[in-house]
Amino acid sequence: MNAKELLTAIQISGKSVSDNRRDLQTYINIKNKHGNKDTFINYDYLIQELQKTSDRMPTNYQNSHFYNIIVDSFNILDETINNKTISYNGKNIEIKPVPMYGTASLKGYNAFIRTDDEPVIVFNDDLLMLTDKLIEIYTKTHWLASNDLLNDKYLDLLTRNFIDVMYCFYFESDAYNAIPLDWCEIENFDDLLSIEKIYENTFEFENLFVNNNYLSFFSQFEESTYLWIAAHEYSHLVLGHLNNDRNLSKGLLNDNIEVEKYSFEWQEEYDADLLGAIITMESKSSFFLSTSIYFAMNCIKLGDLYHSESTSKNHPPISLRIENVFDYFDSNYRYYMGNNKNIDVILNPMVKKYMNFVNNIQSNNLHFSELFEMQRYIYKQYEFE
């Protein structure tokens, strides 16, 4: 199969090929209802335009919203490998063209590379949705703290949204079932049941981020986070990991589509992590490149929170992967590592509160008739320990 056929085969094995159209069209309809017709356009038109302009040939099953999020990162990857000399283990790497890439409605926090006649890099929607939400929470918390605006009220709101996002990712299909962060400060929670009521509210918190400095920070951080993920998968290609038959087996996606599946050895994962990080660091001048790599690797940890680090045969424990990359950074990019500790300072307390919340639900045998009632409990009733 060529790359487009392979991507299509992967995509139609997903949770539901109608998900992309349904979810995006619902979002468009909500925005259009409130006079924002110039901002969001018809789904079919989006796909047609992507197919005209992209040499990566998105398919009709492409999630165009998420494709647009990652496309800049792949363009930077393409530009970097073609304009910089990238060395690894003392040798210049042999550049290969950036493969076709796309999204698929598959479960699990995962991105992967597959090949038949041509390789293709695939981002699971689950990865994109969770990462998208976590980037928003982290960048807003960091930006408020950096500008002496992070009071107890805002930190409480951000932490509760983190709990909502993580709970929805693990127990309610996907992270996008969480309440949008810019709606979380609504006093009358029932207003969330009505789009008209939502837009009658004034959002003091969200107005803090209508700021070019924040928007630039968010954009660069998002771009670099996805760049490392893309560069990691690309590194498997240029390091020759796809040429090793012992890595290859036949497998089924969602029990119905047969594809060739790669199972890389631990050292190959370490190498892809580190080369992906080196490519990312060579991509442009940004103080936050190291931090975004550290953030991306911590997102892997958050996306696999309930599995023991020792259970995976194909991937080393994420703690060892982080250690492998940042031991190298300590010798080669130490100047850029200053903000890495902010990830731990911000995320670790939120993770602890999330785990306490889940334990509270389970130990008290709490049941809710619907997700909205669970979210009411998160935002309006649950008291942090």
Side-chain angles (χ1 to χ4, degrees), residues 262-305:
Y262 289 94
S263 300
F264 301 118
E265 295 191 348
W266 280 21
Q267 186 58 51
E268 291 171 328
E269 290 296 342
Y270 286 137
D271 289 338
D273 284 343
L274 186 51
L275 178 55
I278 292 170
I279 292 171
T280 302
M281 292 300 292
E282 292 294 321
S283 66
K284 56 184 178 178
S285 177
S286 171
F287 188 73
F288 291 102
L289 287 172
S290 171
T291 312
S292 62
I293 295 167
Y294 188 66
F295 178 84
M297 299 190 82
N298 274 274
C299 283
I300 296 173
K301 184 191 299 185
L302 294 175
D304 203 23
L305 206 55

Side-chain angles (χ1 to χ4, degrees), residues 165-172 301-306 354:
V165 167
M166 292 295 290
Y167 191 90
C168 286
F169 177 76
Y170 279 107
F171 301 107
E172 297 291 340
K301 184 191 299 185
L302 294 175
D304 203 23
L305 206 55
Y306 292 99
Y354 164 72

Side-chain angles (χ1 to χ4, degrees), residues 210-278:
V210 184
N211 177 293
N212 287 336
N213 290 333
Y214 169 73
L215 295 175
S216 176
F217 167 52
F218 173 86
S219 177
Q220 289 186 52
F221 195 87
E222 178 183 57
E223 207 171 68
S224 301
T225 299
Y226 289 123
L227 174 58
W228 175 78
I229 300 171
H232 169 97
E233 300 305 331
Y234 173 76
S235 295
H236 282 305
L237 176 65
V238 297
L239 290 171
H241 299 166
L242 304 187
N243 302 330
N244 194 336
D245 289 341
R246 62 180 161 73
N247 290 335
L248 187 61
S249 62
K250 292 289 184 180
L252 292 178
L253 279 174
N254 286 12
D255 300 323
N256 57 356
I257 301 292
E258 183 176 282
V259 295
E260 292 181 336
K261 184 177 181 180
Y262 289 94
S263 300
F264 301 118
E265 295 191 348
W266 280 21
Q267 186 58 51
E268 291 171 328
E269 290 296 342
Y270 286 137
D271 289 338
D273 284 343
L274 186 51
L275 178 55
I278 292 170

Side-chain angles (χ1 to χ4, degrees), residues 338-363:
N339 277 305
N340 289 12
K341 62 181 182 296
N342 293 332
I343 304 289
D344 296 329
V345 169
I346 289 172
L347 291 185
N348 287 354
M350 291 184 178
V351 173
K352 183 177 180 180
K353 286 184 167 62
Y354 164 72
M355 298 301 287
N356 287 341
F357 172 80
V358 173
N359 289 337
N360 171 266
I361 294 292
Q362 294 173 344
S363 61

Side-chain angles (χ1 to χ4, degrees), residues 5 15 26 35 50 60 81 90 127 130 150 171 180 184 204 214 216 223 226 239 294 342 356 359 366 376:
E5 292 168 338
K15 291 180 287 189
T26 300
L50 287 176
N60 289 335
I81 62 173
L127 178 150
L130 181 60
L150 186 61
F171 301 107
C184 291
E204 169 197 332
Y214 169 73
S216 176
E223 207 171 68
Y226 289 123
L239 290 171
Y294 188 66
N342 293 332
N356 287 341
N359 289 337
L366 297 178
R376 186 196 301 276

Side-chain angles (χ1 to χ4, degrees), residues 25-119:
Q25 193 63 54
T26 300
Y27 193 41
I28 292 169
N29 290 341
I30 290 171
K31 291 294 184 181
N32 285 352
K33 189 172 183 179
H34 293 274
N36 297 319
K37 292 186 178 181
D38 292 337
T39 306
F40 294 94
I41 52 182
N42 180 271
Y43 181 90
D44 291 323
Y45 178 75
L46 277 171
I47 293 296
Q48 290 169 11
E49 290 305 297
L50 287 176
Q51 290 172 333
K52 287 179 185 176
T53 60
S54 175
D55 58 2
R56 270 48 176 206
M57 300 179 300
T59 74
N60 289 335
Y61 302 106
Q62 189 71 51
N63 185 315
S64 54
H65 172 64
F66 287 124
Y67 183 86
N68 277 326
I69 287 177
I70 64 173
V71 68
D72 288 342
S73 298
F74 275 96
N75 286 340
I76 293 169
L77 172 61
D78 203 13
E79 180 182 337
T80 302
I81 62 173
N82 284 295
N83 292 310
K84 297 285 185 74
T85 300
I86 308 295
S87 299
Y88 188 67
N89 283 341
K91 298 180 180 179
N92 293 343
I93 65 167
E94 180 184 351
I95 298 303
K96 295 185 179 181
V98 173
M100 181 182 173
Y101 53 86
T103 67
S105 290
L106 300 175
K107 292 295 291 179
Y109 193 91
N110 194 26
F112 55 90
I113 187 167
R114 294 285 184 271
T115 187
D116 198 337
D117 296 330
E118 299 175 80

